[in-house]
Amino acid sequence: VWESQFRKHVEAGTQVVLLSPLVDDDVVALADRLDAFGYPVTAVSPDATGDRTAGQRLARVSRRRRLSELRRRGIPVVDWDAADSLDATLARYDGRAR
């Protein structure tokens, strides 16, 4: 249902920027779906993981797997370290978000 509404209101070829910490696989599936519909997709992912506990370390590994999966599918990814501003992060990537 959302797909038909999205496609009705957003022209094919429109750049879509997904902002997500990539805490689950749903965003990977969404990016893949939008890409299949002909929308250039870029994922901007703030890193909300930590490394103090085993659970945080597991979340970090899972997030890195999702980043790799998006890249493998040809979707540009901007890995945003929370210690940096978004402006600084985007300037560093400067269109090289693969």
Side-chain angles (χ1 to χ4, degrees):
V1 173
W2 72 266
E3 295 163 345
S4 62
Q5 288 298 312
F6 186 87
R7 293 169 77 182
K8 179 178 176 182
H9 296 288
V10 181
E11 293 180 32
T14 300
Q15 174 70 49
V16 175
V17 177
L18 291 177
L19 179 60
S20 171
L22 295 173
V23 295
D24 60 44
D25 292 330
D26 291 344
V27 176
V28 174
L30 174 62
D32 201 35
R33 192 100 175 153
L34 290 169
D35 184 58
F37 288 145
Y39 297 98
V41 178
T42 298
V44 177
S45 181
D47 186 356
T49 63
D51 62 2
R52 288 183 287 149
T53 68
Q56 289 174 333
R57 288 188 295 275
L58 178 60
R60 177 167 281 179
V61 169
S62 296
R63 179 179 175 274
R64 286 183 183 153
R65 181 188 54 79
R66 290 182 190 100
L67 291 169
S68 294
E69 181 64 22
L70 286 169
R71 289 180 178 124
R72 186 187 67 73
R73 296 176 185 202
I75 295 173
V77 175
V78 176
D79 187 5
W80 179 11
D81 185 328
D84 296 332
S85 72
L86 179 57
D87 286 340
T89 299
L90 294 175
R92 200 169 37 253
Y93 276 86
D94 191 28
R96 301 172 290 115
R98 292 221 182 248

